[in-house]
Amino acid sequence: MLHSKYEWRNSFYDQRTGEELARQLNLSPLMGSILAARGIHDADDVSRLLHGHLEELHDPLLMSGMQEAVPRIRQALEQGERILIYGDYDADGASSTSLMIQLMRRLDADFEYYIPHRSKEGYGLHISALEQAKARGVSLIITVDTGISAVEQIAFASLAGMDVIVTDHHEPPVQLPQAYALINPKLPYCPYPFKGLAGVGVAYKLAAALLNHEVPNEWLELVAIGTIADLMPLTDENRILVKLGLQSMSRSAFPGVRALLQIAGWKGGEVSSTQVAFGLAPRINASGRMSHANLAVELLTENDDERAGQEAIALDQLNKERQELVEDILEQALEQVGEKKRDPERPDVIVVAGEGWNVGVVGIVASKILERYYRPVIVLAINPETGECKGSARSIPGFDIYEALTDCSDLLHHYGGHPSAAGMSLHRRELGEFEQRLNRYAELKMEPEQLVPWMESDVECALGDITLPALEQLELLAPYGMGNPQPRLMIRGASLQEAKQMGKDGKHLRLLLRQQDILMEAVCFGKGDLACCLSEMAEVDLIAEAGINEWNGSRKPQLMIQDLRVPHMQVFDFRGTRQPLAKLLELIGGLGRIQNAAAESAAVLVNSPVRQEVENQLNELPVWVYDRRIGARQDGLSEYPVHPEQVRSLFILELPNFPVEMNRMLSIFKGLERIYLLHPNITAQEVLRPPSRELFKEVYALLRALTMRRIPEAELLPLLEARTTLSRRMLEMVLDVFEELEFISRQAGELLVNESPSKKPLETSQRYLELARLAEMEQILLHGQIPQISQWLQPQIQVVS
């Protein structure tokens, strides 16, 4: 058995709709089902989804504030006013700023741009920066990806004689700034149909309004970068903007984009949203996190190939430093989380803070902690000199972290963001109350079931449904991202043919799966340690994304596993291992890497108390000894006694002497999920043979011939061995049966055949029946294949269950 990491949910859809779409549009059944699962009901919906064009974008003048902003900017251009583009330091902000620079250059404007330093200044507009802009002659400020909460700062700018046009996409606060124009589709009074634009998307709309929709296609590359990096939904307008931006990016006109793609490992061909999300976005973000976002803006607006290459290398190095820093802070943060005793059933918000932590990476740390604990997380960097705390929040579905911060707003100097991610600042003296207030709010707003991580699949299918033509059709659903994830397929009952670790240090997992006559390879990244929990021929359920693996001119379907489980108890074959104790400890180590309580839920099984030196090697693992009366008992007085129902992994170092011990052992270890066979092999000659009437007749005839008088049993057994193919152990048990049936008598180590034995059938002997069961058990456990062993154990496991 192997538990899934997530609770699995399958989309509900009308199967007939999927079948009809597939028939009408000549699509694969898989494609039809996925479209239906995503709410696509007719051919027109499919056409809009798969073939969106720029002409379908909404009119930018529908966005509130646009009617005021456009003439004011044109006035500034006509009168030669100095314009300040005020941006943000993340990838969306850098992309927005870069797009506005392109716009200002095209309009031949007198302009400059400003992005605050993340750790020295923090998010948003700053009065000191506005003062300096005024001194440089700025009279018009256009914000991008920021400004919707800057009430005080915009009031200052207005008093100083500077008009401010805000373009933003963050959640508007209750009190809005008195700007010259507010452009934000999320404003409650804004009639714009689509609310999911990124900051760069709003900036693009302003450019479209100013240029009468004659926006250069290559600018869509910047829209794609910011939209993907800021995790905006790839639906509606964003889908069109990003899809066209990615197409342009594959032959980019921007030297900086080309240089970034190359350093991120792009090998040519189409650029995917995944390559932007995991290749470009982290490097762009690294500039603002580790240095200054101006570095990313300079790269994205660079016109010289050589300088662009150098700037891309610098961002790549910053990203590597960022990765190391994240791991260091994460380790410290997890120590804090571990020190706080948490009730796993109780809703709570995790709050950790540390002096000297880099404020630029605390959001990444928060995401990693959320992934581990599945709780809303806030990570704060404390300035040891001022006590100022700046941090980032990440939340789980259904818990609006922006609203939670609003409930604590009297403790905060500043905050802003979205339901799933936010930023804030406060003084360290408020940290205790801040955490308490957040958790009181969570208790009111969050239900326990929200704390169970879940994963949704689009459809349930078989391996046979995942064909190359079907996958080629699925590629039309790209670009993938928030709001339009890559389709996830649920597959049940695939037979595991092979499981291998791969990659550096065995970090990843490769599986070969069979279902009916279909063989398919599956890869699970970052889950190499699961190999120790997957047995030969296990029946595997999985949720996976499907793609096409191309290698040396060959193309075939491949699964990228997102989660998997084995719903039955598994048996693992390590019989005859030369160093069983070393193998046992290796397996325990592997289990420990995927479940924290591996050692506490394991048991080692032997048929006699272990020697002290062996017990020392087992590192205090609980050792159990077969017991004919109760099944098994824990060996000695362990410092850490384990209840048998807590045992999940059973390591069998020795087989029992009697089958009843095996049956009763299984009855006390009721929670078993895995059995590891580590017992030694014995020769075929040593294995007990299934008893039969002919075998007993043969032995009895030899006894009559060899025992005309009383004979010491020690002399008799070698004579019988020499005249039969039976082992001494088998012969001793045959003699036990004869004694029970009164065919022979034993006294003082000597044996005599009874001249007139009573005629009792062999089957009336309990020892005969026990010998039959023991022989069957040994034949199976010593020489059977794992499927045969599992099948043999199943009836006993079902009785236990």
Side-chain angles (χ1 to χ4, degrees):
M1 186 173 290
L2 176 66
H3 297 286
S4 55
K5 181 178 179 181
Y6 300 92
E7 175 189 309
W8 292 3
R9 301 176 185 176
N10 211 340
S11 298
F12 292 100
Y13 65 96
D14 185 349
Q15 187 173 349
R16 288 174 298 179
T17 299
E19 292 170 352
E20 184 62 20
L21 285 173
R23 186 189 65 77
Q24 285 183 2
L25 301 172
N26 194 27
L27 300 174
S28 69
L30 183 62
M31 181 69 161
S33 297
I34 289 171
L35 289 170
R38 297 196 172 188
I40 307 298
H41 299 120
D42 57 46
D44 290 339
D45 290 340
V46 175
S47 179
R48 279 191 294 271
L49 176 71
L50 302 185
H51 310 294
H53 302 287
L54 284 175
E55 293 76 15
E56 298 174 32
L57 297 180
H58 308 302
D59 186 347
L61 293 177
L62 291 174
M63 203 173 291
S64 62
M66 198 70 78
Q67 299 278 6
E68 294 77 22
V70 170
R72 177 66 185 90
I73 296 171
R74 286 179 176 156
Q75 175 190 326
L77 295 170
E78 291 168 3
Q79 298 182 1
E81 295 181 54
R82 189 155 184 81
I83 301 171
L84 171 67
I85 308 302
Y86 197 115
D88 187 27
Y89 40 65
D90 67 1
D92 186 15
S95 303
S96 305
T97 304
S98 300
L99 189 147
M100 292 304 293
I101 289 172
Q102 298 292 345
L103 176 64
M104 292 294 111
R105 286 175 178 174
R106 189 175 185 86
L107 295 172
D108 198 22
D110 179 12
F111 77 98
E112 60 185 69
Y113 75 92
Y114 184 85
I115 296 177
H117 193 285
R118 187 167 201 149
S119 59
K120 294 177 181 177
E121 297 173 272
Y123 177 80
L125 275 66
H126 297 276
I127 289 176
S128 60
L130 301 179
E131 288 176 331
Q132 294 168 24
K134 177 64 178 176
R136 292 191 300 271
V138 169
S139 57
L140 176 61
I141 300 169
I142 304 174
T143 75
V144 286
D145 194 34
T146 189
I148 198 64
S149 301
V151 175
E152 180 185 349
Q153 295 86 347
I154 290 176
F156 171 84
S158 298
L159 287 173
M162 294 181 290
D163 290 337
V164 181
I165 295 171
V166 172
T167 74
D168 201 353
H169 74 126
H170 293 94
E171 297 294 330
V174 175
Q175 182 184 359
L176 295 171
Q178 297 298 306
Y180 188 91
L182 292 178
I183 303 174
N184 183 335
K186 290 181 180 174
L187 288 166
Y189 54 80
C190 181
Y192 196 74
F194 182 55
K195 308 297 182 181
L197 289 170
V200 70
V202 179
Y204 177 85
K205 287 293 176 178
L206 177 58
L210 282 164
L211 297 175
N212 296 316
H213 303 282
E214 298 295 327
V215 184
N217 281 338
E218 58 264 28
W219 293 8
L220 290 171
E221 298 175 35
L222 301 173
V223 178
I225 290 171
T227 302
I228 293 169
D230 219 41
L231 303 180
M232 291 296 102
L234 298 191
T235 57
D236 201 279
E237 285 192 308
N238 282 348
R239 176 174 172 79
I240 298 172
L241 294 168
V242 170
K243 186 173 184 177
L244 295 175
L246 292 173
Q247 289 174 1
S248 175
M249 208 177 292
S250 65
R251 53 186 186 282
S252 179
F254 295 120
V257 172
R258 293 198 301 268
L260 265 185
L261 282 169
Q262 289 170 5
I263 208 160
W266 178 62
K267 303 298 184 184
E270 294 185 8
V271 179
S272 70
S273 56
T274 301
Q275 287 167 324
V276 172
F278 296 99
L280 273 61
R283 290 170 171 84
I284 294 171
N285 271 321
S287 64
R289 297 183 191 281
M290 304 297 293
S291 179
H292 199 291
N294 286 356
L295 297 176
V297 173
E298 290 167 8
L299 173 65
L300 293 175
T301 57
E302 181 60 68
N303 292 319
D304 182 81
D305 284 321
E306 185 176 348
R307 285 197 298 270
Q310 294 169 353
E311 290 163 355
I313 290 171
L315 288 192
D316 186 57
Q317 182 58 38
L318 285 176
N319 189 51
K320 291 174 181 175
E321 294 171 10
R322 186 271 305 169
Q323 292 170 331
E324 294 174 1
L325 187 60
V326 165
E327 291 306 311
D328 182 48
I329 296 175
L330 178 63
E331 184 178 349
Q332 298 175 51
L334 289 175
E335 286 179 8
Q336 285 191 33
V337 176
E339 290 167 1
K340 299 180 181 183
K341 294 182 179 179
R342 297 169 46 256
D343 182 350
E345 302 298 326
R346 175 179 172 271
D348 65 355
V349 180
I350 295 173
V351 179
V352 291
E355 287 189 359
W357 290 359
N358 186 314
V359 69
V361 301
V362 292
I364 302 173
V365 175
S367 296
K368 289 180 177 290
I369 296 174
L370 182 148
E371 184 179 354
R372 180 171 299 202
Y373 289 99
Y374 203 71
R375 294 288 191 280
V377 180
I378 294 177
V379 181
L380 296 138
I382 304 172
N383 185 319
E385 296 178 0
T386 66
E388 182 79 1
C389 303
K390 294 180 181 179
S392 290
R394 297 293 184 269
S395 192
I396 61 177
F399 184 74
D400 190 327
I401 195 66
Y402 179 82
E403 289 297 329
L405 292 176
T406 301
D407 191 65
C408 306
S409 59
D410 56 304
L411 301 175
L412 304 175
H413 299 160
H414 174 84
Y415 73 101
H418 311 290
S420 59
M424 78 297 299
S425 63
L426 70 160
H427 198 274
R428 71 185 308 165
R429 62 174 168 267
E430 309 291 357
L431 280 177
E433 186 176 352
F434 178 56
E435 183 173 8
Q436 291 175 11
R437 291 262 295 273
L438 283 171
N439 279 288
R440 284 202 297 268
Y441 181 84
E443 287 181 357
L444 293 173
K445 297 289 185 177
M446 197 160 30
E447 299 297 331
E449 53 266 27
Q450 288 179 253
L451 301 176
V452 179
W454 55 273
M455 179 176 286
E456 187 172 33
S457 61
D458 290 87
V459 296
E460 183 174 339
C461 66
L463 291 183
D465 299 322
I466 307 169
T467 63
L468 277 176
L471 294 179
E472 288 166 350
Q473 289 179 354
L474 287 184
E475 288 177 347
L476 297 173
L477 294 173
Y480 299 124
M482 296 296 291
N484 184 47
Q486 186 165 351
R488 285 179 171 166
L489 313 175
M490 183 185 294
I491 300 150
R492 299 180 192 266
S495 176
L496 180 62
Q497 305 296 297
E498 185 181 76
K500 285 186 176 179
Q501 290 177 279
M502 66 177 194
K504 186 178 179 181
D505 301 323
K507 188 176 182 180
H508 310 301
L509 184 67
R510 176 190 170 276
L511 306 181
L512 186 62
L513 303 171
R514 178 186 290 276
Q515 200 171 51
Q516 296 181 342
D517 295 329
I518 304 297
L519 272 174
M520 194 170 295
E521 189 177 274
V523 176
C524 195
F525 292 107
K527 299 294 182 184
D529 288 328
L530 287 180
C532 68
C533 293
L534 293 168
S535 63
E536 176 189 347
M537 303 303 290
E539 295 295 308
V540 180
D541 300 336
L542 59 147
I543 292 181
E545 296 171 355
I548 299 174
N549 182 17
E550 301 191 33
W551 180 254
N552 284 342
S554 171
R555 303 173 81 240
K556 59 182 180 180
Q558 184 182 56
L559 300 176
M560 278 65 71
I561 297 173
Q562 307 302 305
D563 198 16
L564 76 162
R565 67 189 178 200
V566 178
H568 59 84
M569 195 190 76
Q570 298 181 86
V571 180
F572 297 81
D573 187 7
F574 297 101
R575 293 171 293 182
T577 300
R578 288 188 176 183
Q579 295 180 309
L581 293 181
K583 188 65 181 179
L584 186 157
L585 295 174
E586 176 191 326
L587 293 167
I588 282 286
L591 288 171
R593 287 190 290 274
I594 63 170
Q595 56 180 60
N596 293 331
E600 288 83 352
S601 60
V604 178
L605 199 56
V606 294
N607 59 22
S608 60
V610 298
R611 303 185 307 277
Q612 185 63 50
E613 60 268 24
V614 172
E615 192 167 346
N616 291 341
Q617 291 182 60
L618 291 174
N619 294 336
E620 298 181 337
L621 281 171
V623 177
W624 293 70
V625 180
Y626 294 108
D627 185 292
R628 192 164 186 174
R629 183 177 56 86
I630 61 173
R633 54 183 168 77
Q634 197 158 353
D635 182 22
L637 299 175
S638 172
E639 187 178 350
Y640 305 103
V642 175
H643 193 279
E645 293 190 14
Q646 294 176 301
V647 173
R648 299 291 176 264
S649 301
L650 184 65
F651 296 86
I652 297 181
L653 285 180
E654 297 172 336
L655 293 182
N657 291 322
F658 303 97
V660 68
E661 294 174 343
M662 175 67 78
N663 296 339
R664 289 176 179 166
M665 174 274 291
L666 290 171
S667 74
I668 67 165
F669 293 128
K670 297 181 188 293
L672 275 186
E673 298 176 357
R674 292 168 289 274
I675 294 178
Y676 295 85
L677 301 178
L678 290 151
H679 55 267
N681 284 329
I682 60 176
T683 63
Q685 176 68 18
E686 295 288 328
V687 178
L688 296 177
R689 284 171 52 180
S692 64
R693 183 174 298 277
E694 289 72 22
L695 184 150
F696 273 78
K697 279 181 66 176
E698 177 190 354
V699 175
Y700 188 69
L702 284 171
L703 283 175
R704 300 273 312 212
L706 294 171
T707 55
M708 304 301 292
R709 54 177 175 76
R710 284 188 179 276
I711 182 173
E713 195 167 328
E715 293 179 15
L716 174 64
L717 286 170
L719 297 174
L720 291 173
E721 279 186 276
R723 288 166 173 77
T724 68
T725 58
L726 302 178
S727 67
R728 178 167 298 204
R729 179 164 162 257
M730 179 74 183
L731 287 166
E732 287 173 345
M733 300 187 83
V734 168
L735 295 179
D736 289 342
V737 173
F738 285 147
E739 182 182 28
E740 182 185 359
L741 294 173
E742 298 179 347
F743 289 6
I744 63 171
S745 60
R746 283 163 158 166
Q747 188 175 357
E750 293 184 330
L751 182 146
L752 180 66
V753 175
N754 294 336
E755 291 295 331
S756 303
S758 58
K759 294 188 178 181
K760 297 177 182 177
L762 285 171
E763 292 77 11
T764 62
S765 165
Q766 290 301 311
R767 290 182 175 178
Y768 177 85
L769 298 176
E770 190 168 84
L771 173 59
R773 289 192 293 267
L774 185 58
E776 179 189 25
M777 182 186 77
E778 286 196 355
Q779 290 285 346
I780 294 286
L781 294 182
L782 286 168
H783 297 291
Q785 299 297 313
I786 288 301
Q788 185 184 11
I789 295 172
S790 299
Q791 187 177 6
W792 181 78
L793 287 170
Q794 203 60 42
Q796 294 147 86
I797 295 167
Q798 288 171 351
V799 169
V800 171
S801 302

